[in-house]
Amino acid sequence: MDRADLVRLRRARDRMDRDYARPLDVSALAREALMSPGHFSRSFRAAFGETPYAYLMTRRIERAKALLRRGDLSVTDVCMAVGCSSLGSFSTRFTELVGETPSAYRARGHAELATLPACVAKIATRPVRSRATRPLPN
């Protein structure tokens, strides 16, 4: 992958970070990166270790966690605020990444984070995508 491709991929990733609450799709991001959707997805995964969709959903869940910790919004309001249109899909993805439902996360106390600087709290609460590993064939 050449330097120009990496620059365009970083711009697409920055757009996902900035516009996470807006409707974003791979085709639109690929057009901005001057790549076909398939090439964009493969290149993004090679550069950043996950698909564009997985990256976007991780950013959305990261923002959702911060809104849920505040406690003044319902789970549905948070779902819509971070750009998800389906409460069921949002809840499923949140549970996969965080290990508990959005409602349980919102209800749990978060006092331990109140004393941390915002930049440290953001790192400490970043969702981590994990995959179960399959045994290698003999």
Side-chain angles (χ1 to χ4, degrees):
M1 184 174 325
D2 67 10
R3 187 171 192 271
D5 283 348
L6 286 173
V7 168
R8 288 191 296 269
L9 289 170
R10 274 193 224 110
R11 279 192 202 127
R13 185 184 63 183
D14 290 346
R15 178 163 183 222
M16 285 187 264
D17 287 339
R18 183 180 59 250
D19 296 337
Y20 66 89
R22 293 186 182 166
L24 295 171
D25 62 29
V26 170
S27 296
L29 293 166
R31 273 192 305 277
E32 286 185 28
L34 306 175
M35 298 177 184
S36 71
H39 181 67
F40 173 75
S41 292
R42 287 186 301 275
S43 298
F44 191 95
R45 185 179 188 128
F48 303 117
E50 59 186 334
T51 65
Y53 176 77
Y55 182 85
L56 178 60
M57 285 306 296
T58 301
R59 295 292 73 78
R60 286 178 172 170
I61 298 303
E62 181 178 69
R63 271 56 169 210
K65 287 176 73 176
L67 292 173
L68 290 167
R69 281 193 305 274
R70 284 188 357 200
D72 61 335
L73 296 174
S74 70
V75 172
T76 301
D77 290 339
V78 169
C79 169
M80 299 301 160
V82 299
C84 295
S85 57
S86 165
L87 182 59
S89 296
F90 168 75
S91 294
T92 298
R93 186 73 59 210
F94 189 97
T95 303
E96 286 174 1
L97 289 173
V98 179
E100 61 186 323
T101 65
S103 297
Y105 184 82
R106 183 177 179 267
R108 185 166 52 83
H110 299 282
E112 71 278 1
L113 297 173
T115 60
L116 296 177
C119 59
V120 175
K122 182 178 178 181
I123 292 168
T125 62
R126 179 166 285 151
V128 177
R129 182 173 300 275
S130 62
R131 292 189 184 156
T133 56
R134 290 183 293 176
L136 295 173
N138 293 334

